[in-house]
């Protein structure tokens, strides 16, 4: 065991192993960084119908392009190396070619991995993105009669509705298009149709624009909002605190 | 040098003859027969994918092959998929649909049955690039900038699976120059060509057979998968003079272990890509494509097994 030759060999072996592991670890770190950078770009891609949530889609998509080939409108494309989207994954640019919402959804049928969810059978249920309106540049919001997005929308009145508002002193009303996230499929036909130089209605990944109210808010004036006590914090304070709400206003001298 | 070699006597007692390129075109074509066949298979694979995608090539009104080498649908019914890509996705802890799993099993089954790294030298589009680099390198006689072990690809293979599990995306598929190249040929060119140029320069100037022979985890995967497959290079030991012409052209020269090959009657290593280069340069007709069961039969029925350990020399 203590033979110097064996010791030297053992030492050499251990050093080799350590060098190997160091090389694997450093290159692995660099590699992992590259992967995470790529995956981080995915919120900017508008995916085909039925695409799973970002992380699951990135994992499951095998980048074969069968959805791209089976799209009858040539809407889809695979992200190329050097694009700012995750490499090899399908996406589309609605302003160039939107999704025309084929009722038989051939792209989803073509997907061999399930990255496009095979349970999506009604194209109206797809959520490729969410249309948002730039009200500073929308013609209708300026008071012109446009509403092209509403007329082109394949799920019009539920995804895009038009409300008329009175316009200050003028006797003409404004006809305002509004998008409803519970019905908008993100197909992008509105974005394609928008007549402004740069589209004033655009499809984006909902997480980039959608807020969240928070469960502790109660819209008491809405009939379907139950008035409950469950908004009180579940954690008991560790010391006595003043009474909640407005009660302190009624205390003391007036 | 050539004269020197001619004076040498091989371990089988015969004079060592060098490989001489035949002067006639038919002779040359004979030497290049597997090379030409491989190029035909590689290009027609690319062309079938491209034609189905862009020129609507069909047979009986179904597209011939839709998709790319990562996953595709052959004749509208047979799913095919890259088994290594599917394995990586499994490591991201995602369950896949049956279609792609079946496709991966079909492809893995074919390569496991046929054996060797047939994928690498007969199908993979990167092989076109690395073969060109190694051909140029031999002509220009460029030495290695530094050397790395050929086992590194197995470490890269393990790293691929570990990273797939950690990052949640198929680690090699997201950087693979193979998928990138094939995808961009079919779906339009992006910056992928830079990766191809990178591999070409790496193989040409830095490490000989650097990508395919040292780093590529997909090659390592097929090495393991095809190790016990049917198609092998048989080795007729009594005729071998150890002129090492085969070792010079082989992209994986460590597989030409004459001692082991003499005992087994075939090249056993899974790293052999079944490219057939060695067969065509062998001046003694020692090497052949053969099916494993047939090789076993001939070597066991041949009692005069030419084992002479004194004269055996490993090719490493």
């Amino acid at each position: 065991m203590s033979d110097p030759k064996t010791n030297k060999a053992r030492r050499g072996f251990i050093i080799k192993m350590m060098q190997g592991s160091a090389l694997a670890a450093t290159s692995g770190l660099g590699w992992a960084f590259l992967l995470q950078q790529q995956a981080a770009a995915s919120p900017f891609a508008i995916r085909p119908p039925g695409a799973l949530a970002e992380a699951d889609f990135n994992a499951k998509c095998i980048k074969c392009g069968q959805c791209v080939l089976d799209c009858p409108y040539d809407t889809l494309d695979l992200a190329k190396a050097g694009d700012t989207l995750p490499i090899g994954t399908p996406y589309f640019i609605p302003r160039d070619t939107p999704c025309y919402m084929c009722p038989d959804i051939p792209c989803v049928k073509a997907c061999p991995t399930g990255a496009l969810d095979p349970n999506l059978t009604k194209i109206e249920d797809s959520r490729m993105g969410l249309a948002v309106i730039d009200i500073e540049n929308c013609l209708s919001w300026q008071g012109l009669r446009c509403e092209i997005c509403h007329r082109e929308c394949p799920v019009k009145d539920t995804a895009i509705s038009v409300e008329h508002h009175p316009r200050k002193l003028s006797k003409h009303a404004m006809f305002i298009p509004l998008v409803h996230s519970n019905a908008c499929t993100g197909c992008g036909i509105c974005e394609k149709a928008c007549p402004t130089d740069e589209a004033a209605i655009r499809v984006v990944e909902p997480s980039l624009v959608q807020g969240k109210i928070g469960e502790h808010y109660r819209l008491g004036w809405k009939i379907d909002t139950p008035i409950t006590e469950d908004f009180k914090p579940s954690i008991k304070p560790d010391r006595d605190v003043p009474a909640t709400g407005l009660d302190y206003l009624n205390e003391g001298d007036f | 040098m050539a004269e020197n070699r001619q004076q040498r006597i091989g371990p089988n007692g015969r004079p060592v003859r060098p490989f001489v390129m035949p002067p006639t075109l038919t002779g040359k074509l004979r030497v290049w027969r597997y090379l030409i066949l491989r190029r035909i298979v590689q290009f027609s694979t690319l062309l079938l994918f491209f034609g189905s995608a862009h020129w609507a090539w069909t047979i009986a009104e179904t597209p011939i092959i839709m998709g790319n080498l990562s996953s595709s649908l052959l004749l509208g019914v047979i799913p095919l998929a890259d088994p290594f890509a599917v394995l990586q996705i499994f490591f991201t802890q995602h369950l896949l649909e049956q279609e792609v799993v079946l496709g991966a099993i079909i492809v893995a089954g074919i390569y496991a049955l046929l054996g060797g790294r047939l994928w690498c030298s007969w199908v993979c589009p990167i092989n076109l690039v690395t073969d060109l680099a190694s051909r140029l390198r031999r002509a220009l006689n460029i030495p290695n900038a530094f050397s790395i072990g050929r086992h590194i690809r197995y470490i890269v293979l393990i790293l691929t699976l570990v990273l797939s599990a950690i990052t949640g995306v198929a680690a090699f598929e997201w950087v693979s120059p193979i998928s990138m190249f094939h995808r961009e040929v079919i779906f339009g060119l992006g910056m992928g060509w830079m990766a191809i140029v990178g591999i070409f320069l790496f193989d040409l100037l830095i490490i000989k057979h650097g990508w395919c022979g040292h780093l590529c985890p997909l090659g390592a995967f097929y090495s393991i998968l095809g190790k016990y497959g049917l198609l092998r290079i048989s080795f007729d030991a009594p005729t071998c003079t150890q002129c090492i012409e085969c070792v010079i052209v082989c992209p994986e020269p460590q597989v030409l272990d004459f001692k082991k090959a003499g005992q087994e009657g075939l090249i056993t290593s899974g790293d052999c890509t079944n490219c057939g280069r060695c067969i065509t340069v062998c001046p003694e007709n020692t090497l052949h494509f053969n099916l494993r069961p047939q090789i076993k039969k001939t070597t066991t029925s041949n009692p005069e097994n030419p084992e002479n350990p004194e004269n055996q020399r490993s090719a490493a």
Side-chain angles (χ1 to χ4, degrees):
Chain A
M1 281 296 275
S2 55
D3 166 23
K5 213 172 169 186
T6 331
N7 264 347
K8 204 178 167 194
R10 191 187 300 147
R11 194 182 137 80
F13 174 75
I14 291 171
I15 286 181
K16 264 259 152 63
M17 287 297 286
M18 282 169 65
Q19 283 173 328
S21 336
L23 194 68
T26 44
S27 51
L29 273 177
W31 190 351
F33 177 71
L34 205 74
L35 296 176
Q36 256 143 21
Q37 287 281 301
Q38 284 271 336
S42 53
F44 302 100
I46 302 300
R47 300 294 190 199
L52 301 175
E54 216 176 284
D56 293 329
F57 181 81
N58 280 340
K60 273 192 165 188
C61 174
I62 201 167
K63 310 169 198 288
C64 67
Q66 291 190 63
C67 53
V68 175
L69 296 177
D70 279 16
C71 174
Y73 298 100
D74 285 341
T75 295
L76 299 172
D77 210 345
L78 291 188
K80 299 168 179 63
D83 283 357
T84 48
L85 303 174
I87 189 168
T89 53
Y91 72 101
F92 67 100
I93 298 174
R95 187 68 163 169
D96 296 342
T97 322
C99 168
Y100 289 103
M101 294 185 36
C102 314
D104 56 339
I105 332 179
C107 47
V108 171
K109 280 191 187 144
C111 180
T113 63
L116 305 181
D117 189 355
N119 296 321
L120 179 76
T121 46
K122 275 170 67 189
I123 187 67
E124 289 79 14
D125 294 338
S126 63
R127 293 291 178 269
M128 295 168 262
L130 176 64
V132 287
I133 296 172
D134 169 11
I135 59 172
E136 290 184 343
N137 290 295
C138 171
L139 297 177
S140 297
W141 277 80
Q142 312 316 308
L144 297 169
R145 291 300 305 269
C146 172
E147 308 117 46
I148 290 178
C149 50
H150 169 253
R151 265 177 286 130
E152 294 286 320
C153 178
V155 274
K156 68 164 98 19
D157 293 334
T158 47
I160 301 182
S161 63
V162 170
E163 290 191 6
H164 32 92
H165 293 180
R167 180 164 48 171
K168 291 190 181 153
L169 295 174
S170 164
K171 59 185 174 185
H172 299 289
M174 300 222 287
F175 291 77
I176 306 285
L178 291 173
V179 180
H180 305 280
S181 65
N182 59 356
C184 175
T185 63
C187 69
I189 290 175
C190 52
E191 182 176 341
K192 171 79 177 168
C194 183
T196 50
D197 281 355
E198 302 282 337
I201 183 165
R202 295 187 189 196
V203 173
V204 291
E205 156 65 32
S207 65
L208 291 179
V209 289
Q210 247 183 333
K212 190 176 178 227
I213 288 183
E215 285 168 16
H216 54 294
Y217 286 100
R218 285 293 175 275
L219 310 182
W221 59 92
K222 284 195 172 176
I223 321 166
D224 57 350
T225 307
I227 298 170
T228 59
E229 295 274 308
D230 62 0
F231 56 85
K232 282 186 177 169
S234 53
I235 305 163
K236 282 256 182 334
D238 57 358
R239 62 192 163 82
D240 283 340
V241 289
T244 55
L246 302 174
D247 288 352
Y248 72 94
L249 290 176
N250 299 326
E251 288 166 4
D253 298 326
F254 288 96
Chain B
M1 177 105 183
E3 261 177 40
N4 241 352
R5 202 182 271 171
Q6 267 177 348
Q7 285 159 3
R8 267 176 46 213
I9 303 293
N12 60 356
R14 294 186 204 170
V16 175
R17 296 182 295 172
F19 164 71
V20 184
M21 182 58 107
T24 59
L25 182 64
T26 46
K28 282 196 171 78
L29 286 178
R30 226 187 103 68
V31 171
W32 293 332
R33 63 190 186 276
Y34 292 124
L35 184 73
I36 294 168
L37 256 178
R38 286 198 296 125
R39 294 294 174 257
I40 290 174
V41 173
Q42 280 163 336
F43 278 112
S44 47
T45 309
L46 275 179
L47 202 64
L48 278 180
F49 277 109
F50 193 88
S52 307
H54 293 280
W55 303 319
W57 283 2
T58 52
I59 291 176
E61 291 183 16
T62 43
I64 297 175
I65 188 158
M66 293 292 261
N68 62 24
L69 287 169
S70 297
S71 176
S72 59
L73 193 62
L74 179 65
L75 299 173
V77 280
I78 305 165
L80 299 171
D82 174 355
F84 186 48
V86 170
L87 186 67
Q88 289 169 61
I89 298 177
F90 269 122
F91 270 77
T92 68
Q93 294 124 51
H94 283 83
L95 284 179
L96 293 172
E97 289 299 306
Q98 275 177 7
E99 184 181 336
V100 77
V101 176
L102 184 64
I105 291 170
I106 290 173
V107 172
I110 290 171
Y111 284 117
L113 186 71
L114 286 178
R117 283 162 56 192
L118 274 176
W119 152 268
C120 295
S121 60
W122 291 78
V123 183
C124 182
I126 289 289
N127 178 265
L128 296 164
V129 178
T130 56
D131 270 5
L132 179 66
S134 82
R135 182 78 193 79
L136 266 176
R137 185 170 195 133
R138 217 164 45 233
L140 300 173
N141 201 13
I142 300 169
N144 268 358
F146 56 90
S147 70
I148 52 175
R150 282 189 181 259
H151 62 279
I152 284 199
R153 52 188 148 190
Y154 294 99
I155 297 173
V156 179
L157 173 66
I158 294 166
L159 205 58
T160 303
L161 300 179
V162 171
L163 282 179
S164 299
I166 293 174
T167 62
V169 294
F172 184 59
E173 285 315 294
W174 281 54
V175 294
S176 163
I178 305 162
S179 316
M180 210 183 289
F181 184 21
H182 195 247
R183 204 160 51 225
E184 296 201 352
V185 165
I186 296 166
F187 295 98
L189 226 54
M191 301 294 275
W193 61 271
M194 284 177 72
I196 310 309
V197 172
I199 285 184
F200 177 75
L201 292 178
F202 182 68
D203 269 26
L204 178 68
L205 297 169
I206 301 179
I207 292 171
K208 191 175 172 185
H209 304 302
W211 174 255
C212 300
H214 295 78
L215 294 176
C216 178
L218 185 59
F221 175 79
Y222 279 117
S223 287
I224 298 168
L225 191 71
K227 185 160 169 52
Y228 300 103
L230 288 175
L231 187 66
R232 296 271 81 181
I233 307 283
S234 66
F235 181 78
D236 184 17
T239 58
C240 178
T241 63
Q242 298 191 357
C243 64
I244 66 163
E245 292 288 357
C246 51
V247 178
I248 294 169
V249 294
C250 181
E252 301 277 345
Q254 80 282 6
V255 308
L256 286 160
D257 179 340
F258 294 135
K259 187 173 178 185
K260 206 168 178 191
Q263 285 162 357
E264 303 282 332
L266 70 150
I267 305 301
T268 49
S269 171
D271 290 343
C272 170
T273 69
N274 276 346
C275 68
R277 281 187 184 85
C278 55
I279 300 172
T280 56
V281 298
C282 180
E284 312 296 341
N285 232 1
T286 300
L287 299 153
H288 295 279
F289 272 129
N290 228 325
L291 295 178
R292 192 186 287 270
Q294 283 180 324
I295 302 167
K296 288 276 184 238
K297 222 181 335 177
T298 49
T299 42
T300 45
S301 66
N302 183 5
E304 37 177 328
N305 208 327
E307 270 313 293
N308 187 353
E310 294 262 305
N311 292 327
Q312 292 300 338
R313 187 163 54 95
S314 119

